[in-house]
Amino acid sequence: MPETIALETRRLRKQFGGLVAVDDVDLRVQAGSFHAIIGPNGAGKTTLFNLLSRTLDPTSGQIYFKGRDITRLPLHQTAHLGIGRSFQITNVFPNLSVLENVRLACQAVQPGSFRFWEDHRRLKAVLERAHAVLEQVGLAARAALPARALPQGDQRKLELGMILAPDPSLLLLDEPTAGMAGEQVPELMELIGAVQKRGGKTVVLVEHNMNVVMRASDVITVMHQGARLAEGTPTEITANPAVQSAYLGELYGDLGATQEDA
Amino acid sequence: MTPATPSTRPALPGWLSRNLGPLGGLLALIAFPFVVAAQSGDSPVAVLTNESGNAKFYQGLFIEVFILAIYALSYDLVLGVTGLLSFGHALFFGMGAYATGILIKSFGWELGPTIVAVIGIGVTQALAVGVVLPRVKGVTFALVTLGMASVFHIVVQTHELSPWTGGDVGLQGLVPPAILNPNADRLRFYLVSLAVMVLAWLAYKRFVDSPTGRVCNAIRENEGRALMLGYNTFVFKLIALTIASVTAALAGSLHALYQPIVSPNVASLSFTVAALLMILMGGVGTLTGALFGALAYRLLAFFLDRWFGQIADVLLGVVYIALVLFVPYGIVGTWRRRRGRGA
Ligand SMILES: Nc1ncnc2c1ncn2[C@@H]1O[C@H](COP(=O)(O)OP(=O)(O)OP(=O)(O)O)[C@@H](O)[C@H]1O
Ligand SMILES: [Mg+2]
């Protein structure tokens, strides 16, 4: 049933010199699912995201989005296919206003970017969408501030707003709650969940917060040293002994049990 | 501005009151030659009849300011707005200047076709420089553009080309066309170059507020993110470069028509640095700063030279360093910050 697979990788590999950051990973993400990727620091999650979002070229292997080979797709075309990606470390336009950051994200996927003779406010649909998104992520009151002036938590909201703005069908979220105050996390996850359900979107989420992962995910893939260690529902993953030794063990500091026994 | 507030000032239409500064500036510049004439005890009619004197002289100085301002404006679009570090911007200006000189002098072209040709050359050279854009970034782009300008700087001085370019002496003996002759009718040349500057400024203002210009701003801020949002940043950089190149080439045209000689130095690194100094003094990325920067640049050189002669160059260097250190956002940038409008 290839049409129900939103995203697929085949033996996807990335090497940095001698270091294999992503080691022949086969991944299948069901369309409309909430798919979490977990793993200890340095497991290769962000690198995998960089490959999936076309920020990095893979060393070998293929990536398919809705059955289409996107392994060599130019980076700027991914957004037009409906792929949106957020960053672990906030990656915005620091000196532009919050509104402008989101507005640019909307403008990119709508016609009119080459109307160099017209005022940008004439692109009404773009502007309205940007305001609506700011409302949605709770930044409407801060629209005029330069992005760099936002507190950490609001920067994460802006990062999410920029992903939601073009209304992608696949969201690649790299630790969207990193650096957020604890009480803001459920609110943000609820928002992501609501957007996903309402739009029938596919979400691939990297996250360290186990509570968040267990509650939100349909499927969890565990990565360890660049490779796919295990995959299953939250219940299966919690019960998996290999995961416990490789990942949970490491999390709780039991380093003696982290040898690859998978 | 709220209607409820009683105002002692006469009510102006919104558009007018919002543009008082630029309009006042424009009117002042139009009146300037006549004011100078009156100040020097000449009749303002002397300005209209093109008589020699202070008014004619200061018009000449300001024609140079306008030409430099157009040139600096074009550099601000490349560096200040789009964030492309080019060390070869003078090439764009030099091409326009030499093309104008050669077409009119050696080929006997009229002004109209010459300007059309210069615009065509402006587009072509931007595309030629632009092809390297996807491959070279940052400092490498600076060096590649510097290399291109240096080649031009050397080639125009070669013996083989000297019948057209005048070799290392420079291109001289260009007889300006009757409709735009700075010697026969200085006021017309003054007003035409002022008009070109104002139109360029207005067009640039509009461009940076257009959807296209906004993307150029985003590229300066964070090109990787702009790509990821779905913008083919190469195309946008090429557009900015092309607009800037055509503008600089037209400034070069005016330069060739105004100056008795086109020196090969118009394509040198120091002339690119001049553009950099002007926008640094005026405020990088503000556009309006380019105009003030050009004014400061030309007048500083002129008055320091007049007052201090020999050591003027040294003083000029000191003044530049002081300005960049103590007015880091430039004239317009600092002014906007003071008024709380941000950078
Ligand atoms: N550009 C790069 N050049 C060289 N090595 C890199 C590069 N990017 C990542 N790595 C290495 O690849 C490995 C995987 O890193 P990655 O950032 O993908 O891990 P991660 O799972 O996202 O970790 P974290 O949970 O800390 O975010 C690490 O050893 C890292 O040092
Ligand atoms: Mg990471």
Side-chain angles (χ1 to χ4, degrees):
Chain A
M1 297 173 283
E3 65 273 13
T4 63
I5 305 286
L7 187 67
E8 181 176 0
T9 68
R10 292 198 197 139
R11 296 184 67 80
L12 193 63
R13 186 179 186 84
K14 182 66 189 180
Q15 274 176 243
F16 296 110
L19 179 89
V20 184
V22 173
D23 191 357
D24 292 344
V25 167
D26 289 309
L27 186 73
R28 284 172 151 225
V29 178
Q30 294 286 329
S33 70
F34 202 114
H35 194 129
I37 296 177
I38 62 171
N41 290 116
K45 306 178 298 289
T46 295
T47 307
L48 177 65
F49 261 35
N50 285 340
L51 298 177
L52 295 177
S53 65
R54 296 295 299 115
T55 314
L56 276 180
D57 280 327
T59 308
S60 61
Q62 283 89 40
I63 309 165
Y64 297 88
F65 175 62
K66 293 181 176 168
R68 174 180 170 177
D69 188 343
I70 61 161
T71 315
R72 298 287 153 188
L73 189 77
L75 175 57
H76 65 86
Q77 287 179 17
T78 55
H80 296 274
L81 290 185
I83 301 175
R85 186 250 163 111
S86 80
F87 288 81
Q88 183 173 357
I89 297 160
T90 302
N91 184 2
V92 297
F93 305 110
N95 295 309
L96 306 184
S97 73
V98 170
L99 172 65
E100 184 62 7
N101 269 275
V102 176
R103 205 195 61 76
L104 280 163
C106 301
Q107 184 187 302
V109 294
Q110 293 194 30
S113 280
F114 291 107
R115 297 201 191 162
F116 59 85
W117 59 91
E118 227 173 52
D119 193 291
H120 67 281
R121 282 165 291 222
R122 294 284 295 276
L123 300 178
K124 287 248 165 55
V126 171
L127 199 57
E128 275 162 22
R129 170 85 186 137
H131 279 294
V133 169
L134 285 183
E135 200 70 55
Q136 198 179 11
V137 297
L139 284 178
R142 310 216 143 148
L145 279 183
R148 70 182 134 77
L150 287 181
Q152 178 84 355
D154 283 350
Q155 297 220 357
R156 303 310 294 169
K157 291 183 184 169
L158 176 58
E159 184 78 46
L160 184 66
M162 289 173 76
I163 301 306
L164 297 182
D167 200 25
S169 63
L170 170 65
L171 289 88
L172 303 169
L173 306 175
D174 194 354
E175 303 198 30
T177 65
M180 262 192 158
E183 68 272 14
Q184 287 182 306
V185 171
E187 189 193 337
L188 192 84
M189 290 312 299
E190 227 157 82
L191 174 63
I192 294 172
V195 168
Q196 187 230 354
K197 296 244 163 46
R198 195 165 356 107
K201 296 179 192 307
T202 312
V203 172
V204 183
L205 173 83
V206 169
E207 182 58 65
H208 275 298
N209 185 329
M210 277 305 130
N211 283 333
V212 166
V213 170
M214 294 301 164
R215 188 158 332 136
S217 318
D218 301 317
V219 183
I220 299 174
T221 298
V222 185
M223 280 184 78
H224 184 56
Q225 297 183 351
R228 208 184 74 169
L229 177 70
E231 188 170 287
T233 64
T235 340
E236 287 166 359
I237 291 301
T238 348
N240 186 319
V243 175
Q244 284 185 347
S245 60
Y247 181 45
L248 303 175
E250 213 166 277
L251 261 192
Y252 297 111
D254 184 7
L255 292 167
T258 59
Q259 301 311 311
E260 285 174 277
D261 46 359
Chain B
M1 291 292 286
T2 41
T5 319
S7 169
T8 48
R9 280 212 242 149
L12 290 171
W15 178 85
L16 196 61
S17 64
R18 259 180 281 117
N19 294 289
L20 267 187
L23 278 174
L26 178 61
L27 288 178
L29 284 172
I30 293 171
F32 173 72
F34 302 96
V35 173
V36 174
Q39 284 284 311
S40 327
D42 297 328
S43 153
V45 181
V47 175
L48 299 173
T49 53
N50 195 45
E51 273 163 47
S52 298
N54 264 347
K56 187 165 182 179
F57 176 79
Y58 278 103
Q59 282 179 73
L61 188 64
F62 269 73
I63 288 169
E64 289 180 34
V65 170
F66 300 154
I67 293 171
L68 287 172
I70 300 164
Y71 169 60
L73 193 61
S74 71
Y75 193 52
D76 201 22
L77 184 63
V78 174
L79 178 65
V81 173
T82 316
L84 286 173
L85 184 60
S86 161
F87 279 170
H89 199 69
L91 168 70
F92 295 164
F93 183 94
M95 274 278 195
Y98 272 97
T100 305
I102 292 169
L103 288 176
I104 292 178
K105 185 187 155 201
S106 305
F107 295 90
W109 283 31
E110 301 286 329
L111 183 62
T114 305
I115 294 298
V116 173
V118 165
I119 291 172
I121 288 168
V123 172
T124 313
Q125 65 187 351
L127 298 181
V129 171
V131 290
V132 305
L133 275 173
R135 267 164 288 274
V136 297
K137 297 254 145 70
V139 175
T140 323
F141 182 71
L143 293 179
V144 168
T145 49
L146 174 61
M148 288 175 168
S150 304
V151 168
F152 180 81
H153 188 214
I154 292 163
V155 166
V156 292
Q157 295 183 63
T158 53
H159 182 68
E160 288 72 19
L161 289 179
S162 60
W164 296 279
T165 62
D168 52 7
V169 182
L171 195 153
Q172 32 188 338
L174 166 73
V175 181
I179 47 163
L180 198 61
N181 187 329
N183 309 312
D185 189 347
R186 171 102 5 136
L187 182 65
R188 177 182 295 186
F189 202 95
Y190 176 88
L191 292 176
V192 166
S193 35
L194 172 61
V196 174
M197 178 185 83
V198 170
L199 289 176
W201 178 77
L202 285 173
Y204 273 45
K205 278 282 187 199
R206 169 39 65 91
F207 177 78
V208 295
D209 263 338
S210 76
T212 318
R214 288 304 182 104
V215 177
C216 292
N217 250 312
I219 291 171
R220 178 198 66 200
E221 288 285 303
N222 186 345
E223 182 174 0
R225 192 62 201 254
L227 271 169
M228 210 152 327
L229 288 183
Y231 295 110
N232 186 352
T233 56
F234 166 64
V235 176
F236 290 88
K237 290 193 278 188
L238 204 55
I239 291 171
L241 209 55
T242 305
I243 295 174
S245 162
V246 169
T247 316
L250 288 174
S253 263
L254 286 171
H255 176 85
L257 294 170
Y258 176 69
Q259 296 290 357
I261 183 164
V262 177
S263 154
N265 288 337
V266 293
S268 66
L269 175 60
S270 64
F271 197 54
T272 295
V273 172
L276 182 61
L277 276 172
M278 288 186 268
I279 65 172
L280 279 175
M281 283 195 284
V284 179
T286 61
L287 298 184
T288 310
L291 312 191
F292 285 98
L295 184 72
Y297 176 86
R298 189 66 195 94
L299 294 191
L300 267 176
F302 176 74
F303 284 109
L304 287 180
D305 188 57
R306 168 176 278 194
W307 295 331
F308 301 102
Q310 295 273 293
I311 57 162
D313 279 352
V314 179
L315 288 175
L316 208 52
V318 173
V319 171
Y320 290 149
I321 292 169
L323 276 173
V324 171
L325 282 181
F326 299 114
V327 196
Y329 301 108
I331 300 164
V332 173
T334 308
W335 162 259
R336 286 190 187 164
R337 270 164 194 266
R338 287 266 163 86
R339 295 187 40 189
R341 277 206 270 153

